[in-house]
Amino acid sequence: MTAYRPSRRTVLGAAALSSVAASAYAEEAPPAVMVSTWDFGRIANAAGFETRERGGSALDMVEAGGRIAEADPTNTSVGIGGFPDRDGKVTLDACIMNWAGDIGAVCALEDIAHPVSVARAVMERTPHTMLVGEGARRFALDQDFETAAMPTPQAEAAWRRWLVTADYSPMINRENSEWRATPGGPGNHDTIGLLALGADGRMAGACTTSGLAFKMRGRVGDSPIIGAGLYVDDEVGGATATGVGEDVVRVAGSHAVVEAMRHGADPQAACRSVIERLARLRRDRIAKSQVAFLALDKRGRVGGFALQPGFTYAVTDASGATRMAAAPSLFEA
C-alpha cells in the first residue's frame, strides 16, 4: 500500500493513516548494535563500536560516541563548535540513560568540553538526575572535567553576522548542511542522539547538543529531557529525537516511540506513529519545521521517521560495518 504523503502546504486533518501498516522496515538488514542521528553519527558510531570491542558496555559506547561529536569544532550543533545563544554564550545540554533506568542530565552548562560525561557523572555520583546552569558547571569543575573556550572564533563570527538582522528563522536539517559548510548560516535545531546494545544485550542511550542557534538565554529544548529527547527501556528498546525540541516535548516523543514498540510496532512504525500524532496536534504550525525520531529495539531492528525529508542516521552492526540511511518523511520535499 502506498502511503499518502502531504506536502508542507497541507493542513493536516484529524484522520491519519495506520502507522503500523505503513511501516517499511527491512527485515533482511543485519541486527544493529549502535545507531546515531545525522551524518556525523558515522564517526560517533566508530568510536562507540571501538569501545564495545575493548569490552565497554552500551553506556560506555554512547558516551564515547557523544564525546566525539562534542569535540568536533566543525559541528555547529553539538559541543565546542556549537553556535551561541542570542547573548553570545554557548550553553550545552546532555542526558544519558542505561538499561536499569538510571538517568543523568545537565542543562545550560557553560565552558565544559564534554557535557555527556558530566551527565553520566550526575547519574553515577549524585543522588539527583539533573543539574542546571551554574550548579552544573560547579559540579563539573569539582569533578575535574575539562574546560573549553566557547564559542569558537568561527561560531562567534557567525553570531556577530546574525546580530546584523537578529532574524530567528528556522532552517530544516541544519545538522547536515551546517556540518558540511562553513559555519555562519541560520539554524534552529541541533542534537546527536545515540542508542547502543552492548555485547551483553543490555541497552543505553545518550543525547548531547548546544541547542538552538541564537536561542533566548536560558532556553532548554528536548535533548536533556528523559522521555522527550531520549528514552531507553531494556525490555523493549530505545528512541531518540532530533529537530525542534519544543515540538518533541509536546508529545513526550522518545517515550511515546518506545511505548509504541512495547505494544507491537516495529521501530520505524513506532517513529512514524509519533510523527503523525505531532502532525495531528500541531497541523500547519509544524509545516516548515523538522522533527525526527530514531529507534533501536532489543532485536537490533532500526527505524527512523521524520516530518520533512533530509533526516539521516548511522547504523552499525556487530561486525563493525556502518551504513547511512535516509529516513522516510511525512511531508514531501
Side-chain angles (χ1 to χ4, degrees):
M1 179 180 72
T2 301
Y4 169 60
R5 299 174 65 203
S7 72
R8 284 197 288 264
R9 295 185 297 274
T10 303
V11 177
L12 298 177
L17 66 162
S18 167
S19 300
V20 175
S23 174
Y25 177 76
E27 290 289 348
E28 69 276 7
V33 299
M34 189 166 184
V35 297
S36 55
T37 56
W38 304 107
D39 286 3
F40 43 74
R42 179 185 290 275
I43 54 177
N45 280 17
F49 186 79
E50 181 181 349
T51 299
R52 188 180 196 263
E53 291 289 280
R54 295 198 305 265
S57 67
L59 194 66
D60 298 326
M61 292 168 68
V62 295
E63 181 186 11
R67 286 173 64 92
I68 286 292
E70 291 169 344
D72 182 358
T74 71
N75 188 332
T76 63
S77 64
V78 178
I80 63 172
F83 279 3
D85 62 22
R86 60 181 57 190
D87 292 347
K89 302 290 186 181
V90 178
T91 57
L92 306 174
D93 306 323
C95 72
I96 200 162
M97 186 171 186
N98 72 6
W99 51 86
D102 298 321
I103 58 176
V106 290
C107 302
L109 179 65
E110 295 186 35
D111 304 324
I112 301 297
H114 290 296
V116 70
S117 294
V118 183
R120 180 171 181 174
V122 171
M123 180 181 77
E124 295 179 336
R125 305 177 196 174
T126 82
H128 308 305
T129 59
M130 180 181 287
L131 295 177
V132 304
E134 181 55 32
R137 184 176 186 274
R138 189 180 311 146
F139 170 75
L141 294 175
D142 289 345
Q143 298 295 315
D144 296 323
F145 280 100
E146 178 186 357
T147 60
M150 301 178 210
T152 63
Q154 294 85 354
E156 181 175 2
W159 170 67
R160 294 193 180 280
R161 289 193 293 272
W162 174 81
L163 284 175
V164 174
T165 62
D167 178 26
Y168 190 77
S169 301
M171 178 180 172
I172 291 172
N173 303 325
R174 172 190 162 221
E175 288 86 347
N176 280 345
S177 61
E178 292 285 355
W179 187 57
R180 293 194 185 94
T182 301
N188 80 315
H189 55 88
D190 51 279
T191 311
I192 184 168
L194 311 101
L195 302 164
L197 279 165
D200 59 2
R202 289 179 166 176
M203 177 169 277
C207 197
T208 181
T209 184
S210 57
L212 295 172
F214 320 129
K215 62 196 175 188
M216 291 180 66
R217 182 83 170 145
R219 179 265 182 188
V220 173
D222 68 301
S223 297
I225 309 299
I226 297 295
L230 176 73
Y231 196 75
V232 171
D233 187 316
D234 209 49
E235 293 180 350
V236 180
T240 189
T242 187
V244 180
E246 284 77 359
D247 286 325
V248 176
V249 171
R250 294 180 209 282
V251 292
S254 292
H255 181 266
V257 170
V258 172
E259 288 305 296
M261 290 194 292
R262 187 190 307 281
H263 292 289
D266 68 53
Q268 185 168 301
C271 292
R272 179 170 191 139
S273 71
V274 182
I275 289 292
E276 290 177 345
R277 176 181 167 193
L278 175 63
R280 293 195 303 271
L281 176 68
R282 300 297 285 169
R283 303 181 71 178
D284 58 328
R285 286 167 290 189
I286 47 83
K288 295 184 179 180
S289 295
Q290 177 66 302
V291 172
F293 295 103
L294 175 61
L296 172 67
D297 73 8
K298 288 284 288 184
R299 293 164 54 185
R301 299 186 301 171
V302 179
F305 201 82
L307 274 175
Q308 314 287 352
F311 171 53
T312 59
Y313 55 92
V315 182
T316 300
D317 65 29
S319 74
T322 297
R323 63 181 174 88
M324 296 303 304
S329 61
L330 189 64
F331 296 158
E332 295 177 342

